[in-house]
């Protein structure tokens, strides 16, 4: 074609590509330098500007199809992929100003049937290593026993027909404070992440669902993921009370405390410690346990032992202890009670402040009974009844 016709065709293509799609990677901006007649020679380096992306550079003497393949494969590990129409748009943008024999090699999809297993398909712009890896994952999931060591010849077959930019090797992702998760060639990402996560928890490493999700996201950018990571919670049903649920990465003892507190608020009272121990044993059979379940105790010299039950607020236990101690004749003042509270709060999380004010009971249309700290409620009630008669 005359140069003017070539330029007109390229200009039309540029406008169509720029205006015909909202996809950022399909909006291929063809620089005016590409349209210059000097660019029409095969001996000239071709440059295609990709809007919001990296420029595609095809060096002198290179086939445009190979340049596009190399470009697409290099970007794949960073999560950037191209549809076939996008690759074709790049090819046309480079090749239209050139002579027909300058772009003899086309962008093609390659196939290789493996008897009894299936067909390996390598799409245009896809690295053969990625296609082979994905094929191994799918074939193994279907029950085929394929040896990774035997795929060298398969890879060589594809690499003789198109550029092979990415190597066939395991993927690795590092999670700070936990370690690296490695996905072997032919292994489903979810399988690798689940095994890694469970091993990390067995070791007591600080890994929760957020960390697992971050690792899976990073790996699924680089490799096709066929299913999500499944790490179901451990559960134990307590008849008449409810269900203790412990998500992956949480300590069962922590969630038993939460459950016991909720059960108490719901009117089930403080459950026996033996009940909590049985629940703990059941949960620990389902998942790793690193923090023991205990009742918190503190010996107060000359007074006795204060015990904070599972699910009980420290402030409630201290109030009851001080009340009983005063009724027994022990001089536990506000300062002493506060000191006890502080020591216990170093052993167990405290959610409410200590209240040593009097208890009150309002009797409608009669009055209010006030029971001070350390006073016997029955005695105060009888005294009050005598006064209001």
């Amino acid at each position: 074609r005359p140069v003017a016709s070539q330029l007109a065709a390229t200009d039309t293509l540029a406008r169509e590509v720029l205006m015909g799609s909202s996809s950022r990677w399909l909006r291929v901006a063809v620089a005016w330098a590409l349209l210059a007649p000097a660019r029409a020679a095969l001996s000239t380096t071709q440059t295609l500007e990709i809007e919001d992306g990296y420029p595609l550079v095809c060096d002198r003497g290179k086939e445009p199809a190979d340049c596009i393949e190399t470009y697409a494969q290099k970007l794949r590990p960073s999560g950037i992929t191209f549809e076939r129409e996008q690759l074709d748009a790049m090819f046309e943008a480079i090749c239209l100003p050139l002579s027909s024999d300058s772009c003899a090699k086309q962008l093609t999809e390659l196939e290789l049937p493996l008897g009894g297993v299936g067909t390996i398909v390598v799409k245009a712009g896809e690295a053969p290593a990625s296609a082979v890896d994905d094929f191994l994952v799918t074939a193994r999931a279907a029950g085929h026993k394929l040896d990774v060591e035997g795929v060298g010849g398969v890879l060589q077959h594809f690499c003789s027909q198109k550029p092979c930019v990415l190597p066939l090797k395991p993927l690795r992702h590092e999670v700070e404070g936990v370690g690296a998760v490695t996905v072997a060639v032919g292994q489903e990402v979810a399988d690798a992440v689940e095994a890694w996560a469970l091993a990390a928890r067995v070791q007591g490493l600080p890994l929760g669902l957020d960390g697992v999700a971050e690792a899976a996201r990073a790996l699924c950018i680089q490799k096709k993921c066929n299913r999500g990571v499944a790490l179901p919670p451990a559960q134990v049903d307590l008849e008449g009370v409810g269900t203790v649920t412990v998500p992956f990465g949480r300590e069962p003892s922590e969630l038993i405390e939460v459950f016991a507190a909720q059960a108490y608020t719901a009117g089930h009272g403080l459950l026996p410690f033996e009940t909590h121990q049985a629940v703990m044993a059941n949960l620990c059979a389902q998942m790793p346990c690193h923090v023991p379940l205990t009742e918190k105790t503190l010996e107060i010299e000359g007074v006795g032992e204060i015990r904070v039950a599972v699910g009980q607020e420290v402030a409630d236990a201290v109030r009851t202890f001080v009340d009983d101690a005063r009724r027994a004749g022990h001089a536990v003042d506000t300062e002493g009670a506060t000191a006890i509270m502080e020591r216990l709060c170093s052993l167990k999380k405290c959610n409410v402040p200590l209240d040593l004010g009097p208890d009150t009971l309002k009797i409608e249309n009669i009055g209010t009974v006030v029971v001070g700290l350390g006073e016997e409620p029955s005695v105060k009630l009888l005294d009050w009844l005598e006064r209001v008669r």
Side-chain angles (χ1 to χ4, degrees), residues 41-119:
L42 178 62
S43 60
T44 303
T45 296
Q46 307 294 311
T47 301
L48 186 65
E49 298 294 340
I50 308 295
E51 186 174 337
D52 297 330
Y54 305 97
L56 192 167
V57 178
C58 194
D59 292 330
R60 175 180 177 179
K62 297 289 187 181
E63 280 281 355
D66 288 344
C67 294
I68 294 170
E69 281 283 356
T70 300
Y71 177 79
Q73 292 181 35
K74 281 183 176 179
L75 291 177
R76 177 64 183 89
S78 62
I80 299 173
T81 58
F82 299 95
E83 297 297 331
R84 178 57 190 262
E85 60 183 0
Q86 296 170 315
L87 298 173
D88 288 342
M90 296 178 195
F91 186 82
E92 291 296 324
I94 292 177
C95 289
L96 273 179
L98 305 177
S99 59
S100 58
D101 59 349
S102 298
C103 292
K105 187 174 183 179
Q106 301 293 306
L107 290 168
T108 58
E109 184 173 276
L110 304 177
E111 295 185 359
L112 180 64
L114 295 182
V117 181
T119 299

